[in-house]
């Protein structure tokens, strides 16, 4: 139907490659962009190219960075004796938003998943071991996701860090803030009772 | 949080301007594009610029076109005595996909909506009247949406076309294909009964 509009069809195809964007959404976005001002579309295109040109990963922790090292690794006020290990840069951002942690990070860019053929060498684990040779640690906070893969990765790392004599912690399981106990799944309630704290 | 990544923040802001893309989706898309290959991101940026450079609107019917006239207006096999009036290019594409219509089109690029300050001069209506001076018509098919604005536009146009002695038709209301009568709203069933056909 869009055969007479190759450039429009091409844009729709490119937009359809984005995650969560099917062919209908891609067409809707393309029609929106068709109607948008020249300057808006150019701004988007330039933002894409500029991001790709400038943003890479921190050489130390593999968080996103526009320079060799990310903002956190460059901050001398961060506690370099603590290391938080996360799967993705988004997870790091979630922890930063909590303002509850002041140590450094290491972003794995994934989790162990033997079924998908993802082993330790497919993550930023060799880089982590290399890093530890120069950085003495007191505590490692495992903040991988609470999925099967994330838990497996946490267990794998916990074993290795304990062998090195480092204190290993994991994000607490429990009842989310503002929740009705009635609606929380049994597994979470079990974890919350087991992990109960003195008041 | 992304203060140290101005180009990443800029891309997130630009993506957030797209319809249906909030700040969380924009961040997810930006992280996807960060990870995507250089060639994929460049392809998307170039598709945006190429579309904006090449695609405009048909001078006759205001459908999207890469040339002065769209594929349909350039097709001598189309029945020029019939004109279908739609709100948006997407609506035209929906009718084309049905393969049930072989006349020409006129895309209004909107519908009358006095509450939003959209009057006849804000749509492609002056261009429609101009067009009719040169193009004698036998039938006009009003295919504006079945919303308040679309119905109002259809009524407005029906009155004007009838004064000109043109046969005015409207897309049929009725039960959608493959539906269970039980679940169809009363208004649609009323319309389907009122519009019942001889078998």
């Amino acid at each position: 139907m869009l055969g007479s509009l190759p450039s429009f069809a091409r844009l729709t195809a490119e937009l359809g490659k984005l995650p969560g964007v099917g062919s209908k959404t891609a067409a809707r976005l393309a029609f929106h962009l068709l109607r948008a001002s020249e300057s808006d579309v150019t701004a988007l295109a330039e933002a894409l190219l500029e991001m790709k040109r400038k943003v890479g990963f921190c050489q130390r922790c593999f968080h996103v960075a526009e320079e060799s090292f990310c903002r956190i690794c460059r901050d001398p006020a961060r506690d370099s004796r603590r290391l938080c290990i996360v799967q993705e840069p988004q997870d790091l951002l979630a922890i930063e938003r909590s303002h509850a942690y002041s140590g450094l990070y290491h972003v794995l860019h994934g989790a162990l998943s033997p079924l998908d053929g993802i082993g330790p060498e497919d993550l930023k684990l060799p880089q982590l071991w290399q890093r530890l040779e120069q950085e003495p640690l007191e505590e490692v906070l495992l903040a991988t996701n609470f999925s099967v893969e994330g838990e497996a990765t946490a267990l794998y790392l916990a074993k290795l860090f304990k062998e090195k004599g480092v204190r290993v912690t994991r994000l607490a399981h429990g009842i989310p803030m503002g929740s009705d106990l009635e609606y929380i799944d049994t597994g979470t309630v079990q974890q919350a009772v087991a992990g109960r704290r003195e008041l």
Side-chain angles (χ1 to χ4, degrees), chain A:
Chain A
M1 203 56 63
L2 293 169
S4 64
L5 298 162
S7 63
F8 191 82
R10 183 184 161 203
L11 176 61
T12 309
E14 290 295 335
L15 289 169
K17 290 181 189 168
L18 295 173
V21 178
S23 62
K24 289 223 167 183
T25 307
R28 195 164 51 87
L29 291 175
F31 272 113
H32 167 85
L33 290 162
L34 178 66
R35 238 171 274 271
S37 73
E38 176 112 27
S39 63
D40 276 359
V41 176
T42 311
L44 175 55
E46 281 173 1
L48 281 162
L49 296 172
E50 191 196 21
M51 184 278 289
K52 207 63 199 171
R53 201 171 57 239
K54 288 197 180 165
V55 182
F57 294 105
C58 173
Q59 289 176 13
R60 189 183 185 195
C61 75
F62 299 94
H63 182 39
V64 286
E66 288 199 3
E67 302 175 46
S68 303
F69 295 100
C70 73
R71 180 181 57 83
I72 296 165
C73 285
R74 281 185 282 124
D75 183 353
R78 308 287 303 209
D79 179 356
S80 66
R81 303 236 138 205
R82 279 168 225 293
L83 187 72
C84 174
I85 297 181
V86 294
Q87 287 181 212
E88 304 292 347
Q90 295 95 305
D91 303 330
L92 183 158
L93 294 175
I95 294 178
E96 282 296 288
R97 275 196 297 272
S98 76
H99 295 291
Y101 176 77
S102 61
L104 299 176
Y105 291 91
H106 194 83
V107 184
L108 296 178
H109 288 273
L112 295 175
S113 181
L115 283 177
D116 302 316
I118 299 173
E121 61 293 337
D122 299 309
L123 308 176
K124 301 293 181 193
L125 282 175
Q127 292 88 338
L128 176 59
W129 308 137
Q130 215 169 19
R131 202 179 152 179
L132 294 179
E133 285 170 19
Q134 287 130 43
E135 299 179 35
L137 280 187
E138 275 176 13
E139 178 187 348
V140 62
L141 168 55
L142 300 173
T144 52
N145 284 336
F146 291 97
S147 60
V148 176
E149 293 81 11
E151 292 278 20
T153 309
L155 284 174
Y156 172 85
L157 290 172
K159 189 163 167 286
L160 289 171
F161 275 106
K162 277 182 188 159
E163 282 169 8
K164 290 177 197 281
V166 178
R167 181 180 166 216
V168 179
T169 56
R170 182 99 171 98
L171 287 184
H173 268 305
I175 315 293
M177 294 285 283
S179 303
D180 267 3
L181 210 55
E182 181 181 356
Y183 300 115
I184 303 293
D185 68 290
T186 322
T188 301
V189 176
Q190 276 173 356
Q191 298 276 355
V193 172
R196 66 191 178 280
R197 303 189 312 172
E198 296 287 342
L199 267 191

